[in-house]
Amino acid sequence: MILEEHGQNLSALRSGQEHLKAELDGMKISNAKQFGSLKEDMGDLSAKVVLLRDESWENKKSIYRMQKTMGMQ
């Protein structure tokens, strides 16, 4: 009788562990997908920052030229 109870307990523990492992594997996959998406978004953001920096620099040069033309520099 005791061996049977122990066997049932071990089966229940094994089943619980398998369930937790499956859940953890699902979370790992989900996290990997989210990380990939974030990495892609960061790449897009980085490209936009470069464009903004270049545009800002061009604007500064134009303002400087206008000021120089007007005798303000």
Side-chain angles (χ1 to χ4, degrees), residues 6-68:
H6 286 274
Q8 289 174 350
N9 287 340
L10 287 174
S11 293
L13 285 171
R14 189 177 300 131
S15 175
Q17 285 179 335
E18 289 170 358
H19 176 74
L20 288 174
K21 184 181 182 313
E23 191 174 325
L24 182 61
D25 289 344
M27 290 171 62
K28 285 179 183 179
I29 291 169
S30 176
N31 285 344
K33 287 179 183 177
Q34 288 177 350
F35 180 75
S37 177
L38 287 174
K39 193 173 179 182
E40 185 178 316
D41 290 345
M42 287 296 292
D44 292 345
L45 186 59
S46 178
K48 289 176 183 177
V49 167
V50 169
L51 290 173
L52 185 60
R53 181 197 67 202
D54 293 345
E55 187 176 308
S56 177
W57 177 248
E58 289 301 319
N59 287 341
K60 284 182 181 186
K61 289 190 329 188
S62 294
I63 290 168
Y64 178 76
R65 282 190 208 112
M66 284 189 258
Q67 287 176 336
K68 192 169 183 175

